[in-house]
Amino acid sequence: QKEVEQNSGPLSVPEGAIASLNCTYSDRVSQSFFWYRQYSGKSPELIMSIYSNGDKEDGRFTAQLNKASQYVSLLIRDSQPSDSATYLCAVNPGRNYQLIWGAGTKLIIKP
Amino acid sequence: DTGVSQDPRHKITKRGQNVTFRCDPISEHNRLYWYRQTLGQGPEFLTYFQNEAQLEKSRLLSDRFSAERPKGSFSTLEIQRTEQGDSAMYLCASSLAGGDQPQHFGDGTRLSIL
């Protein structure tokens, strides 16, 4: 059983709409949660980190964490074609310092 | 802040050859991580260092792989007797100490085995 699950997509969203990306994790004691964006052929780039239940906003991005339900989501408002990328969810289970990674969701923003 | 630097960006080699990659972390970061990534997958953890100490190594990692961080600054990853299945993107990341610290990645080294 995978420890971090993401829908592989592709998720297609019209330009200007809200893109919603979801991630579930299996380890209840997980402490820290990260969203990374990865363009094709490039390395992952940190977008957001979240540690407490609730919402965290940064510009057009909002991360949402629900530890009781064991999911974390990323909302992208006013989606732009430049947001087209694969979004990776990473979870620190707290046991050690190795992040557990999802396989990523491919997002396509259609002009 | 110059970011994480990896060298080379691309490496093409014949099966059976040895290859070595270098990673220079962000200067104030004492943790350094190596990952491998193939198409359509998330990064696969290989090993990590805190300062010069190698604290964890993936159980899936073949003994053909070895990593060093001799002075707690840059790190090298060596693959001996390369195989076709070693073709992948090799990523290095660094962070400050603490499980809540985000990791920052270099541009990666793409390895192709002929």
Side-chain angles (χ1 to χ4, degrees):
Chain A
Q1 180 183 0
K2 290 184 180 178
E3 296 185 51
V4 176
E5 295 266 9
Q6 295 183 257
N7 188 320
S8 62
L11 174 65
S12 185
V13 173
E15 183 177 357
I18 295 175
S20 178
L21 303 161
N22 298 313
C23 170
T24 60
Y25 59 94
S26 59
D27 194 329
R28 286 190 170 275
V29 300
S30 295
Q31 305 284 326
S32 311
F33 307 85
F34 305 92
W35 282 101
Y36 286 79
R37 177 176 62 199
Q38 187 172 27
Y39 293 114
S40 180
K42 304 295 185 181
S43 63
E45 173 191 10
L46 179 70
I47 297 177
M48 296 279 290
S49 56
I50 187 166
Y51 310 102
S52 305
N53 279 328
D55 295 359
K56 179 180 178 182
E57 187 174 319
D58 184 0
R60 295 186 297 111
F61 298 96
T62 299
Q64 299 176 318
L65 176 60
N66 184 322
K67 289 187 177 181
S69 299
Q70 295 176 238
Y71 82 79
V72 56
S73 61
L74 179 69
L75 302 178
I76 306 174
R77 291 183 299 281
D78 188 24
S79 298
Q80 303 297 310
S82 59
D83 295 326
S84 298
T86 295
Y87 289 80
L88 296 162
C89 172
V91 175
N92 185 325
R95 295 189 300 267
N96 52 41
Y97 303 106
Q98 176 197 146
L99 290 180
I100 309 299
W101 294 81
T105 297
K106 184 173 183 178
L107 175 65
I108 298 173
I109 306 300
K110 297 193 297 184
Chain B
D1 181 358
T2 57
V4 179
S5 176
Q6 291 189 247
D7 183 70
R9 293 292 306 279
H10 299 95
K11 180 70 177 179
I12 301 173
T13 192
K14 294 181 179 179
R15 184 166 51 95
Q17 297 295 305
N18 298 346
V19 294
T20 300
F21 309 140
R22 175 177 171 128
C23 172
D24 289 85
I26 294 171
S27 57
E28 62 266 30
H29 287 181
N30 55 1
R31 290 207 175 134
L32 186 149
Y33 309 80
W34 285 101
Y35 292 92
R36 176 172 60 190
Q37 188 178 28
T38 54
L39 195 63
Q41 300 298 315
E44 175 193 1
F45 171 79
L46 296 179
T47 189
Y48 98 94
F49 293 83
Q50 179 160 316
N51 301 314
E52 65 276 9
Q54 187 173 19
L55 295 188
E56 187 172 351
K57 188 175 177 179
S58 170
R59 288 171 302 206
L60 302 176
L61 199 60
S62 161
D63 58 7
R64 296 184 296 107
F65 288 70
S66 62
E68 293 183 341
R69 194 183 183 197
K71 296 182 179 180
S73 56
F74 74 91
S75 175
T76 58
L77 177 69
E78 181 182 18
I79 309 174
Q80 296 182 327
R81 305 180 303 282
T82 53
E83 301 174 355
Q84 292 281 358
D86 296 332
S87 294
M89 175 78 88
Y90 289 83
L91 296 165
C92 176
S94 69
S95 75
L96 293 168
D100 60 342
Q101 296 297 319
Q103 297 177 19
H104 298 271
F105 285 83
D107 289 335
T109 295
R110 182 166 297 282
L111 174 64
S112 298
I113 307 298
L114 300 177

